[in-house]
């Protein structure tokens, strides 16, 4: 309480003082560009994924814009030690994403390499995933997918190009007969989703859907 008096939480966009649990004030919230995607319908993510792997359903909460508020939100989560932002983004998602009676069987976040997670102090997707798990009553597994290499994204891409078939991801355990909802923060090219999806699809009679906080459209 004393810290709140001297260091009040402020809106990440306009700097107004807001409740400690919030990221943006009510006025700035209106400037977040939500996608309004239909999880079961057609959207640009599904179109891109279909070119790379068999996908069931896809959903992005926000549009990822270079100068937009969604970028600031995710930047706070990933780089400003605002792990609790994951819970807030999950709450926004739960207000907009409806599974009806066709819920996936398992939630699986994209992993960080253990070294990267130690450096950051947390995986930015874990609290987001756990909050959605409780809301939708769907189990999650933070350990299902593991990242095999620690390197910068571009360096990893170059390494994969040189070695041809190296996949930076693998599964830590058998999984079969499951519809896995793969969770990530930002969807860009779809290469990360594809690398993990093929590991899941090749492991058994599985299906894969995609959920991201934001999509670079």
């Amino acid at each position: 309480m004393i810290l709140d008096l001297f260091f009040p939480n402020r809106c990440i966009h306009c700097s107004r003082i807001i409740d400690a649990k919030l990221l943006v004030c009510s006025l700035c919230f209106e400037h977040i560009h939500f996608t309004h995607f239909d999880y079961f319908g057609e959207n640009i993510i599904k179109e891109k994924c279909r070119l790379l792997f068999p996908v069931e359903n896809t959903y992005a909460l926000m549009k990822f814009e270079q100068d937009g508020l969604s970028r600031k939100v995710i930047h706070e989560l990933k780089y400003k030690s605002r792990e609790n932002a994951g819970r807030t983004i999950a709450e926004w998602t739960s207000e907009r994403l409806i599974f009806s009676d066709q819920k996936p069987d398992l939630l699986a976040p994209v992993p960080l390499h253990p070294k990267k997670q130690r450096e950051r102090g947390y995986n930015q997707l874990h609290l987001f995933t756990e909050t959605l798990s409780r809301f939708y009553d769907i189990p999650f597994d933070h350990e299902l997918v593991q990242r095999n290499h620690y390197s910068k994204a571009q360096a990893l891409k170059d390494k994969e190009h040189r070695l041809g078939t190296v996949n930076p991801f693998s599964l830590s355990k058998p999984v079969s007969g499951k519809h896995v909802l793969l969770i990530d923060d930002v969807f860009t090219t779809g290469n990360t989703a594809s690398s993990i999806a093929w590991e899941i699809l090749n492991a058994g009679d599985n299906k894969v859907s995609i959920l991201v906080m934001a999509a670079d459209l």
Side-chain angles (χ1 to χ4, degrees), residues 149 151-168 191 195:
H149 307 291
S151 64
K152 295 180 180 179
Q154 186 60 46
L156 181 57
K157 184 185 297 184
D158 293 342
K159 181 177 180 181
E160 290 178 47
H161 180 72
R162 290 195 305 270
L163 299 181
T165 60
V166 172
N167 191 333
N191 289 335
S195 295

Side-chain angles (χ1 to χ4, degrees), residues 34-108:
F34 294 103
T35 67
H36 306 293
F37 280 179
D38 177 1
Y39 171 73
F40 297 103
E42 298 299 314
N43 56 62
I44 187 63
I45 296 180
K46 185 174 289 186
E47 292 176 10
K48 290 183 177 181
C49 286
R50 280 176 174 163
L51 297 175
L52 301 170
F53 63 93
V55 66
E56 297 299 314
N57 307 299
T58 57
Y59 184 83
L61 175 66
M62 301 176 287
K63 299 176 183 178
F64 190 79
E65 299 160 323
Q66 190 63 29
D67 298 319
L69 189 48
S70 62
R71 183 177 181 274
K72 287 186 178 180
V73 167
I74 293 177
H75 192 272
E76 289 287 313
L77 170 64
K78 294 179 68 173
Y79 306 117
K80 295 294 186 69
S81 300
R82 293 283 294 269
E83 184 179 7
N84 282 338
R87 180 182 292 111
T88 300
I89 301 170
E91 291 171 354
W92 296 346
T93 303
S94 66
E95 293 167 356
R96 292 164 176 80
L97 173 58
I98 300 174
F99 290 122
S100 300
D101 58 350
Q102 300 182 54
K103 295 192 298 186
D105 301 310
L106 184 67
L107 307 181

